[in-house]
Amino acid sequence: MGTPSMHFSESPEDPFALGHGASAVLDDQGIVVGWSARAQELLGYTAKEVIGRAWQDLLVDARDLPVVRSVVVDALKAGGWFGVLPVRQRDGRRVEMGFRARAVTREGGGQEWLLVGAPAAEVIAWQRDRALLDGLYRRSPIGLVTYDPDRRVIRVNRAIEKASGVPAEAPVGHRPREFMVDEDAGPQDERVRHVLETGESLFFTEQSARARHDPGRERIVSVSAFRMEDPSGRVLGVAETIEDVTARHRAQRRLALLNEASARVGTSLDVTQTARELAEVAVQGLADYCSVDLLKPVTLGDEPGPGAVGPLLRAALSPPEHRVPFREGDVVPLLPESPQARCLAERRPILEGQLSLRPEWYAMDRRRIELALGLGVHSLIAVPLLARGLVLGVVSLWRARDSEPFEDDDAAVAQELSSRAAVCIDNARRFTQQQSAALTLQRSLLPSAVSDLPAVEVACRYLPASGEPGIGGDWFDVIPLSGARVALVVGDVVGHGIHAAASMGRLRAAARTLASLDLEPDEVMAGLDDLVSLLATELEANADDNQTAIEQILGATCLYAVYDPVSQHCSLARAGHPAPVMSAPDGEVTVLDLPAGPPLGLGGLPFETYDLDLPEGSLLTLYTDGLLEARNGDIDTALERLRACLARTTEPLDQTCHAVVDALLPKAHLPIDDIALLIARTRVLRPQNVASWQLPLEATSAARARELTAAKLTEWGLTELAFTTELVASELVTNAYRYAAGPVTLRLIRTHSLTCEVSDTSHTSPHLRRALSTDEGGRGLFLVAQLTERWGTRYTRDGKTVWTEQPLPPA
């Protein structure tokens, strides 16, 4: 019926509490000698009716007597009893009541029994509450902590003791700051204070709860708290239920780490930058230190051979720490006994939970080992970087000082993180390889050096794009023309990569070809427009199986200028390209307002030539749009910076180029688009180096041409060229007399070579042919071609000019 107990509670909720329960006193013979008012209230017997009578005759039904007697025997043996018994009320009804009985010894040596009873329902409910309270403190897996109004611990349950490893009585009487680390104790103490003062309960609030005796052990708990009050409303303290959610928190953190890695790793197509992003993400949620070491071919964009294991280069280290044995850019040794070497050889993660148990954990000299141990490193995970079956390198993760050692779950996360990063690094490597090939192709197609020209002094810069989508199709060129003139070209092909570089090469070759025909700038633009349209049509026709083919060349922009140092005249035309900038010798800078023209490739739209005269010493600046868009895309601000740099017209051109790049390109940043910059300072041929005569269209003009030529070459000290030049001038003037109309102009120009020009008003094209032995004529142009280094014809609105060039004899 019950279990022996000697405990009486004074709690108001206790049904056996004095003043609440029914009490009676029995002598050693079982005679009632004491009866309380509460007993009379519950059972109906008055004290007069009960005192002096045997309790079993009065209070026990005959059918229950055997059971009751058995309980009495047990109680006598134990000296006390607690349980539920059937009792007969005064009106004869049988009721269940809970009893507590305790033996009491009198001063004279006699023994009496004190009985306290209450309705069984109240006793059972009270027992249930006591069992629940006992379960919370002794058997519950949920932690329980109670605080007094001074925020000191009153009691903790067994779950807290088991989780913390601290005896249950240790925190009693202390505040959180005395048994938790300061960073966690402060918020905890503040939460208890808030609940005490406001009465507001907390529900499932997660917080860190690291113990002061073991600060390196991570512990995340979910806390619910409520204020304890007595029936009168007096605050008794705060009770907290605490659930250890460290495992769940770590799982969430690992998942968040992988999600963050997906967003942060691989933002650029730069191998080193991608390695740095991987290291930075790893130290934010997985390790204290992280290094990424790559095979040398990978850092150069090359593909490592299958099974290649060689020297590693440290591509990234986070956080920066001068005491780490190997820093970024260092060669990291890879010896067979190191975990990194085993990791690469076996192509799987290597976990070293306690490095102190593996002295060969890192193959390096003793000094470097001491440096590493000085950081407090105690746990390591080495993970291979694998992509498309190739080994790219290794990621090393360390934990140090008070951090917990790595676990198998950490190794699984590290492997997943490294697998994702390896794909990004390999993409960056392949992009670097393509960039290198495109850059090599582009640099081979661009002019390697600009020779000294009589018309202009030139300085140029080409800066390839650094990131995605890759190197573009920007180009520039300086093309010597007949008559000491020069053509300046800057263009930009739509697209990026090798296709753009190849297309740029085609356009540059076409521009040189058209320039060699001495066409007007608008005619050159029209010819390039036709070429781009033709290429686009061919690509569209061949794009059925290659949808990216159409992206190889869809259009381009171009600016073409021709400058004549004799007349100081400049003609320009552009096709959708940024307008050039002209700097006068006095420092005035002007953006030339020449017609924009449509981009190349639209077809059918006209281009216009813009003419102006340039004073000697003027700067003509041509560039691509990447120059103006390099700094946040603010075109107006960029133009102002450009004008300020170009106002200093007397500075060396290389210095001016350098100033422009510094002003328009952000510091320590490579351009996101190609930049081509060409600056030319105009020169003027002095009158003493040019001789020009107008000859009548008559038979004696050829003789007169020989006389004038011989006299001028004698004056210039070029008598060695007199015979040849006389013959050339005579043949050209004779041809003009025979086939042209109007006056004939003979001009000699002395620069690095000797130029002889004959102009007339005819547009008839001269033809070089081989005369038969029976022909009386037709050998003039053949002789001219044999006696000179170069010859050609250029056309103007008023006619044509046939020109020849001969190298000057050595000084």
Side-chain angles (χ1 to χ4, degrees):
M1 293 292 294
T3 56
S5 175
M6 299 298 293
H7 177 69
F8 284 87
S9 170
E10 299 295 332
S11 169
E13 289 80 12
D14 189 347
F16 299 117
L18 296 178
H20 181 77
S23 60
V25 180
L26 307 178
D27 63 12
D28 55 358
Q29 300 300 317
I31 304 300
V32 178
V33 296
W35 192 254
S36 70
R38 178 62 173 161
Q40 179 179 339
E41 178 183 345
L42 291 175
L43 297 177
Y45 297 102
T46 65
K48 184 181 293 186
E49 293 174 319
V50 174
I51 292 177
R53 297 181 63 178
W55 67 274
Q56 65 268 28
D57 296 337
L58 181 67
L59 301 176
V60 180
D61 191 272
R63 57 184 173 176
D64 297 323
L65 192 58
V67 175
V68 173
R69 284 176 177 171
S70 174
V71 170
V72 171
V73 172
D74 293 338
L76 291 174
K77 293 179 181 179
W81 183 85
F82 164 75
V84 177
L85 289 174
V87 178
R88 185 176 59 193
Q89 291 182 322
R90 189 176 186 277
D91 59 7
R93 285 185 302 164
R94 183 174 177 273
V95 297
E96 297 279 340
M97 289 191 66
F99 287 99
R100 273 187 173 174
R102 184 175 65 179
V104 180
T105 303
R106 293 295 185 182
E107 294 182 359
Q111 189 179 51
E112 293 182 346
W113 289 87
L114 174 62
L115 278 72
V116 181
E122 294 183 14
V123 173
I124 292 173
W126 177 76
Q127 282 183 304
R128 190 179 297 116
D129 291 345
R130 287 298 302 266
L132 174 62
L133 186 63
D134 181 72
L136 288 175
Y137 277 103
R138 296 179 181 276
R139 289 177 290 276
S140 172
I142 306 297
L144 179 64
V145 181
T146 54
Y147 295 87
D148 65 15
D150 291 330
R151 305 197 302 278
R152 297 184 184 276
V153 176
I154 301 174
R155 188 178 180 185
V156 302
N157 68 348
R158 294 283 177 83
I160 295 291
E161 180 181 31
K162 182 179 179 181
S164 64
V166 177
E169 63 275 7
V172 174
H174 300 286
R175 288 185 175 179
R177 291 188 181 278
E178 299 178 54
F179 55 86
M180 294 173 62
V181 298
D182 293 340
E183 295 85 349
D184 300 342
Q188 167 64 14
D189 192 52
E190 180 61 25
R191 290 187 182 93
V192 175
R193 184 197 63 76
H194 178 77
V195 174
L196 275 172
E197 294 180 355
T198 65
E200 296 179 0
S201 299
L202 296 179
F203 299 97
F204 306 113
T205 302
E206 291 192 4
Q207 66 183 62
S208 177
R210 291 168 294 167
R212 187 174 289 275
H213 73 280
D214 189 11
R217 181 186 177 191
E218 181 184 37
R219 185 166 177 248
I220 306 298
V221 296
S222 175
V223 178
S224 297
F226 61 91
R227 188 168 69 182
M228 299 184 297
E229 303 175 358
D230 65 12
S232 65
R234 181 168 60 94
V235 177
L236 302 177
V238 171
E240 286 185 338
T241 59
I242 300 175
E243 182 181 4
D244 191 332
V245 294
T246 305
R248 185 182 71 192
H249 180 78
R250 287 178 177 174
Q252 292 174 342
R253 186 173 60 195
R254 289 163 179 156
L255 180 60
L257 176 67
L258 294 177
N259 289 336
E260 184 178 8
S262 299
R264 291 186 52 189
V265 179
T267 60
S268 71
L269 289 173
D270 180 83
V271 172
T272 302
Q273 179 62 27
T274 304
R276 289 197 182 107
E277 292 169 349
L278 168 60
E280 290 170 0
V281 169
V283 297
Q284 290 184 0
L286 189 60
D288 293 316
Y289 297 97
C290 176
S291 66
V292 181
D293 303 324
L294 302 176
L295 293 172
K296 188 174 181 179
V298 175
T299 62
L300 301 176
D302 297 332
E303 182 172 300
V309 177
L312 296 172
L313 290 181
R314 178 138 297 173
L317 173 65
S318 186
E321 171 59 66
H322 69 278
R323 292 178 294 171
V324 170
F326 301 100
R327 304 180 191 176
E328 291 184 4
D330 289 349
V331 176
V332 181
L334 190 66
L335 299 184
E337 59 268 29
S338 68
Q340 286 80 358
R342 291 190 287 121
C343 152
L344 294 178
E346 300 174 15
R347 295 194 171 198
R348 66 177 182 87
I350 299 295
L351 169 63
E352 298 290 356
Q354 294 292 336
L355 291 175
S356 58
L357 303 178
R358 300 291 300 269
E360 74 282 5
W361 68 275
Y362 211 99
M364 63 179 83
D365 59 70
R366 174 56 54 186
R367 183 182 65 85
R368 295 185 185 274
I369 292 177
E370 293 173 351
L371 288 173
L373 294 179
L375 297 173
V377 172
H378 59 74
S379 189
L380 165 69
I381 297 177
V383 187
L385 288 168
L386 303 174
R388 298 188 304 113
L390 298 176
V391 175
L392 307 179
V394 61
V395 179
S396 300
L397 305 169
W398 290 281
R399 284 186 178 170
R401 304 181 191 89
D402 296 329
S403 298
E404 295 184 34
F406 284 118
E407 302 173 348
D408 290 339
D409 288 343
D410 296 318
V413 172
Q415 184 176 19
E416 177 66 21
L417 178 63
S418 299
S419 297
R420 298 185 183 187
V423 174
C424 297
I425 290 176
D426 189 55
N427 289 339
R429 178 197 64 78
R430 298 170 69 182
F431 176 77
T432 300
Q433 188 179 46
Q434 292 183 359
Q435 282 284 84
S436 178
L439 183 60
T440 300
L441 175 61
Q442 192 165 33
R443 290 196 183 281
S444 68
L445 296 174
L446 290 173
S448 57
V450 179
S451 58
D452 188 22
L453 299 173
V456 290
E457 175 192 357
V458 175
C460 52
R461 291 288 187 277
Y462 171 72
L463 300 175
S466 60
E468 192 176 1
I471 292 174
D474 292 17
W475 95 92
F476 65 90
D477 208 347
V478 180
I479 308 171
L481 300 178
S482 63
R485 297 169 307 133
V486 65
L488 306 175
V489 192
V490 169
D492 185 358
V493 174
V494 173
H496 295 82
I498 293 179
H499 298 307
S503 300
M504 177 272 289
R506 290 182 175 184
L507 286 184
R508 178 172 177 257
R512 276 190 163 261
T513 301
L514 294 172
S516 68
L517 298 177
D518 278 317
L519 300 177
E520 292 294 323
D522 58 334
E523 295 175 322
V524 171
M525 290 295 101
L528 293 176
D529 181 61
D530 291 341
L531 173 64
V532 173
S533 299
L534 177 61
L535 291 175
T537 302
E538 290 179 354
L539 289 170
E540 289 177 357
N542 297 326
D544 294 338
D545 299 328
N546 183 7
Q547 293 300 321
T548 61
I550 190 61
E551 300 177 2
Q552 294 178 15
I553 175 170
L554 290 177
T557 65
C558 185
L559 174 62
Y560 184 84
V562 176
Y563 173 69
D564 186 345
V566 178
S567 64
Q568 299 179 249
H569 183 75
C570 183
S571 299
L572 308 95
R574 62 174 174 149
H577 200 82
V581 177
M582 192 276 286
S583 307
D586 60 3
E588 181 181 357
V589 180
T590 305
V591 178
L592 298 181
D593 188 21
L594 64 156
L600 300 178
L602 296 183
L605 298 176
F607 299 92
E608 297 182 47
T609 296
Y610 179 86
D611 297 301
L612 77 160
D613 292 327
L614 297 178
E616 183 179 9
S618 299
L619 298 185
L620 187 62
T621 303
L622 291 68
Y623 52 88
T624 55
D625 56 3
L627 182 68
L628 298 183
E629 297 172 355
R631 188 183 289 271
N632 303 324
D634 190 342
I635 304 298
D636 294 335
T637 301
L639 270 176
E640 288 303 315
R641 292 174 180 268
L642 179 61
R643 292 165 67 101
C645 294
L646 297 176
R648 302 186 289 270
T649 58
T650 59
E651 292 184 354
L653 284 189
D654 275 339
Q655 185 174 333
T656 302
C657 272
H658 187 74
V660 169
V661 172
D662 284 349
L664 273 69
L665 187 65
K667 301 296 183 187
H669 285 78
L670 294 174
I672 59 175
D673 191 11
D674 286 17
I675 293 176
L677 173 64
L678 178 63
I679 303 178
R681 177 180 284 125
T682 61
R683 292 170 172 167
V684 174
L685 282 183
R686 300 295 175 232
Q688 56 268 30
N689 291 322
V690 180
S692 179
W693 305 275
Q694 188 166 346
L695 303 176
L697 196 63
E698 56 187 33
T700 60
S701 294
R704 180 59 179 162
R706 288 194 296 271
E707 293 174 7
L708 294 172
T709 299
K712 180 54 68 173
L713 293 185
T714 301
E715 178 186 339
W716 284 346
L718 299 176
T719 54
E720 295 182 26
L721 299 178
F723 176 78
T724 302
T725 309
E726 285 181 51
L727 179 58
V728 169
S730 175
E731 288 295 334
L732 295 181
V733 170
T734 300
N735 282 343
Y737 169 72
R738 289 179 177 176
Y739 306 111
V744 176
T745 301
L746 171 65
R747 187 169 71 162
L748 298 178
I749 302 174
R750 180 180 63 173
T751 56
H752 301 301
S753 61
L754 177 63
T755 300
C756 177
E757 297 180 343
V758 174
S759 303
D760 58 54
T761 58
S762 170
H763 288 89
T764 303
S765 175
H767 294 286
L768 178 66
R769 65 187 182 90
R770 185 179 297 274
L772 299 176
S773 59
T774 57
D775 291 342
E776 295 183 0
R779 297 176 177 82
L781 281 182
F782 178 78
L783 290 175
V784 169
Q786 296 300 312
L787 295 174
T788 60
E789 187 175 58
R790 292 199 310 152
W791 78 280
T793 304
R794 66 174 180 267
Y795 296 90
T796 64
R797 295 181 179 88
D798 301 324
K800 69 175 183 298
T801 298
V802 182
W803 55 269
T804 66
E805 287 184 3
Q806 302 174 73
L808 297 182

